[in-house]
Amino acid sequence: MPMLDIFSILIVFLLMSYSTDPVSYDVNSGVELPESTTLSALDELPAIKVTKTEILVNDKKVANIIGGDVQDKDRSQGAVYPVFQELEKLAEANKRALGRHSEADKTKASTLTMEMDQGHRFKLMKRIMLAAQQAEFITFKLMVAKQNN
């Protein structure tokens, strides 16, 4: 009988902690996302937002965009250096927080979401992705708007 009590408490706990709701995400008002027909839920990950005029990492402005690109002073080895600096801080915090966690958790910690205005050239995206890769963020989830049929 006591074993049944334990199992019923465990089942109730698991059912209460399980959620099927997708993660909601507020898109920055200065970004017009490209459209896509695929639909995937986003995890809660660090986010890079690229508006028409600035680059934000977790809602913190790190660089300005002038003429569709970052200024020369903000570039280093082809990457956007302020983005690298901010993501490096996040990567260090993730490493300290994870400690001895599983490889799946560590892989998730090296993932980030990118929200970028559709009017930008790929060259800017490549610079930002290079900065992220140098800060050990190797997996990207690119945000797109759902295409209405």
Side-chain angles (χ1 to χ4, degrees):
M1 196 66 170
M3 190 64 114
L4 290 175
D5 290 339
I6 292 172
F7 282 126
S8 63
I9 291 170
L10 184 61
I11 288 173
V12 168
F13 171 75
L14 291 174
L15 288 174
M16 294 299 289
S17 64
Y18 180 75
S19 173
T20 59
D21 295 334
V23 174
S24 63
Y25 195 87
D26 295 327
V27 177
N28 189 300
S29 62
V31 175
E32 184 180 334
L33 295 174
E35 294 183 353
S36 171
T37 55
T38 59
L39 182 62
S40 176
L42 294 172
D43 297 328
E44 292 183 24
L45 303 169
I48 295 178
K49 298 176 185 178
V50 185
T51 69
K52 294 177 189 210
T53 58
E54 59 192 14
I55 301 173
L56 301 105
V57 176
N58 283 348
D59 295 325
K60 178 182 177 186
K61 181 180 174 182
V62 294
N64 289 317
I65 298 172
I66 298 171
D69 205 353
V70 292
Q71 299 172 330
D72 289 338
K73 70 176 182 71
D74 289 335
R75 285 188 288 211
S76 176
Q77 299 177 352
V80 182
Y81 192 67
V83 171
F84 164 74
Q85 289 176 313
E86 196 61 33
L87 290 177
E88 190 174 44
K89 291 176 194 173
L90 287 172
E92 287 301 317
N94 286 347
K95 284 179 187 176
R96 283 192 305 274
L98 285 176
R100 298 182 198 157
H101 280 72
S102 70
E103 285 301 314
D105 290 336
K106 290 178 182 176
T107 300
K108 185 175 179 178
S110 67
T111 303
L112 61 84
T113 301
M114 185 178 232
E115 174 184 325
M116 187 169 185
D117 190 85
Q118 69 179 355
H120 287 300
R121 297 183 315 219
F122 178 71
K123 183 178 184 178
L124 178 61
M125 179 187 275
K126 191 167 77 170
R127 288 185 196 281
I128 295 168
M129 292 174 93
L130 179 60
Q133 184 231 354
Q134 290 172 351
E136 298 180 15
F137 285 90
I138 54 173
T139 306
F140 300 91
K141 293 191 176 189
L142 304 175
M143 288 191 60
V144 293
K146 183 179 178 188
Q147 188 176 35
N148 295 325
N149 293 332

